């Protein structure tokens, strides 16, 4: 990994646990349960949320209350609420609900896009032009997201040219940001370098966000590579919740508290409170009824001390 010589001064962290984190869970939370988790995250300093997805409730029943979630949180000062939308109808619902930005998503893999939204990549991109026209004149920003940007569980390697072609399309639509999604944890540091470098050449005015899963245990290693390249925007999920319901083996995202701990120990600013995130992760674990995969919420901060008197002393 190249040395981190010019680290970004501030790292923007978008919490995706309420969308990506919950869509693949067997437990379907009530709106009030989700809001209790959202409030805990706000108390921990989270200000940017990917709050839900305006997809068909039949496809993802866990996110059927997207409009209710936006309505409950849009009055909280200082928050930016984005939501995924797959098509024009989803964008219309999101606009009516009052989101701050819509996230149009498409897979760089034809097979995954067919599974994910039952459309070809070309059909998805064509539909995005309608959404861009819908947003013209509104205060709602358009963001883009590319799933399987580092590899596809159905076809293997995804050519970087497939990702850059989609990025150019989003740039032409006026997108303000582009997120590269590591849908099934196939990203590696060399791939991060390749994709970020090529996209900066192809779409230099389109800021990048990196969205890693920890499926193969190197999610934070990929973050380190992104930081070395100067990327200052990341998406994460409290407790490490999440995964894609339309991709086999898509386990959780990198955990927000693990990411915040790494960034804090590197001296980078996030505006997040680690103790508050650990408390929020506890709430998420309670709601899910199981221990979540994040590590910092189990071990605590680096200098968290234990009572020496309660630890047995070695004999002999």
């Amino acid at each position: 990994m190249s040395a981190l010589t010019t680290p970004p001064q501030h790292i923007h962290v978008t919490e995706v646990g309420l969308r990506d984190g919950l869509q693949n869970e067997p437990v379907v939370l009530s709106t009030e349960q989700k809001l209790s988790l959202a409030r805990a995250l706000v108390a921990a300093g989270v200000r940017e949320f990917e709050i839900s997805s305006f997809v068909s409730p039949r496809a993802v029943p866990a996110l059927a209350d997207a409009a209710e979630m936006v309505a409950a949180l849009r009055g909280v000062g200082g928050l930016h609420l984005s939501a995924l939308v797959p098509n024009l109808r989803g964008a219309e619902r999101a606009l009516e609900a009052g989101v701050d930005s819509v996230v149009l998503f498409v897979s760089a893999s034809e097979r995954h896009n067919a599974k994910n939204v039952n459309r070809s990549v070309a059909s998805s991109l064509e539909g995005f032009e309608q959404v861009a026209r819908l947003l013209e004149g509104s205060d709602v920003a358009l963001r883009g997201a590319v799933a399987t940007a580092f590899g596809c569980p159905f076809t293997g390697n995804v050519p970087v040219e497939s990702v850059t072609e989609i990025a150019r399309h989003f740039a032409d639509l006026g997108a303000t940001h582009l997120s590269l999604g590591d849908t099934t944890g196939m990203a590696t540091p060399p791939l991060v370098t390749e994709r970020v470098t090529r996209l900066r050449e192809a779409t230099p005015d389109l800021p990048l966000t990196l969205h890693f899963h920890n499926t193969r245990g190197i999610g934070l290693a990929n973050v380190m590579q992104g930081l070395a390249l100067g990327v200052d925007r990341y998406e994460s999920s409290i407790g490490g919740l999440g995964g894609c319901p339309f991709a086999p083996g898509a386990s959780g995202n990198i955990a927000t508290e693990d990411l915040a701990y790494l960034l804090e120990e590197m001296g980078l600013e996030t505006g997040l409170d680690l103790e508050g995130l650990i408390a929020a992760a506890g709430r998420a674990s309670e709601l899910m009824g199981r221990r979540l995969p994040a590590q910092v919420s189990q071990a605590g901060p680096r200098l968290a001390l234990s009572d020496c008197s309660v630890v047995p002393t070695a004999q002999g």
Side-chain angles (χ1 to χ4, degrees):
M1 188 186 82
S2 57
L4 180 58
T5 55
T6 55
Q9 292 184 345
H10 182 87
I11 306 301
H12 300 270
V13 177
T14 298
E15 173 60 50
V16 301
L18 292 165
R19 196 280 301 175
D20 196 3
L22 297 181
Q23 69 176 7
N24 203 33
E25 290 291 329
V27 177
V28 177
L29 301 183
S30 68
T31 303
E32 187 50 47
Q33 287 174 319
K34 294 179 188 177
L35 288 173
S36 72
L37 179 55
R39 295 185 191 106
L41 289 162
V42 170
V46 176
R47 294 296 177 266
E48 296 192 32
F49 287 90
E50 189 174 271
I51 199 65
S52 193
S53 180
F54 285 86
V55 295
S56 166
R58 294 188 302 275
V60 189
L63 303 181
D65 60 351
E68 290 83 353
M69 288 295 295
V70 174
L73 292 173
R74 66 184 175 187
V76 180
L79 299 188
H80 185 101
L81 305 177
S82 64
L84 252 67
V85 300
N87 49 37
L88 180 62
R89 176 59 187 138
E92 290 171 340
R93 291 172 56 209
L95 196 62
E96 182 180 354
V99 299
D100 297 302
S101 61
V102 300
V103 182
L104 297 173
F105 63 97
V106 62
S107 297
S109 158
E110 287 286 355
R111 288 187 181 178
H112 184 265
N113 206 62
K115 288 292 184 181
N116 203 29
V117 294
N118 198 25
R119 303 180 79 175
S120 68
V121 171
S123 178
S124 287
L125 294 176
E126 182 179 352
F128 293 167
E129 296 174 8
Q130 297 176 302
V131 176
R133 288 194 294 270
L134 173 70
L135 298 181
E136 287 179 358
S138 75
D139 294 328
V140 178
L142 187 157
R143 298 184 177 188
V146 184
T148 62
F150 300 94
C152 172
F154 307 119
T155 58
N157 287 325
V158 170
V160 68
E161 291 77 16
S162 298
V163 182
T164 56
E165 181 180 345
I166 293 170
R168 289 190 185 97
H169 193 92
F170 277 125
D172 290 342
L173 292 177
T176 60
H177 297 85
L178 179 68
S179 175
L180 300 184
D182 182 24
T183 309
T184 56
M186 298 174 75
T188 63
L191 282 175
V192 173
T193 298
E194 177 198 48
R195 311 277 142 144
V196 169
T197 301
R198 293 288 293 276
L199 283 168
R200 283 177 170 165
E201 294 170 352
T203 53
D205 297 324
L206 188 57
L208 295 178
T209 300
L210 297 179
H211 176 125
F212 295 121
H213 286 226
N214 201 40
T215 312
R216 292 170 175 83
I218 61 170
L220 292 183
N222 291 324
V223 169
M224 290 289 290
Q225 188 65 19
L227 291 170
L229 295 164
V231 178
D232 64 354
R233 291 184 172 273
Y234 297 86
E235 296 176 347
S236 58
S237 174
I238 193 69
L241 282 168
C244 176
F246 306 107
S251 57
N253 300 269
I254 57 172
T256 304
E257 63 269 37
D258 292 356
L259 174 62
Y261 171 73
L262 171 68
L263 297 174
E264 181 178 297
E265 288 295 319
M266 294 178 67
L268 303 178
E269 299 175 359
T270 62
L272 301 174
D273 174 64
L274 184 57
E275 292 287 0
L277 290 175
I278 290 172
R283 177 58 178 151
S285 179
E286 176 186 341
L287 290 170
M288 293 296 102
R290 63 181 176 85
R291 177 174 174 170
L292 300 181
Q295 294 176 291
V296 171
S297 50
Q298 305 300 322
R302 180 174 63 89
L303 295 180
L305 302 180
S306 301
D307 183 355
C308 183
S309 67
V310 302
V311 178
T313 300
Q315 302 297 314

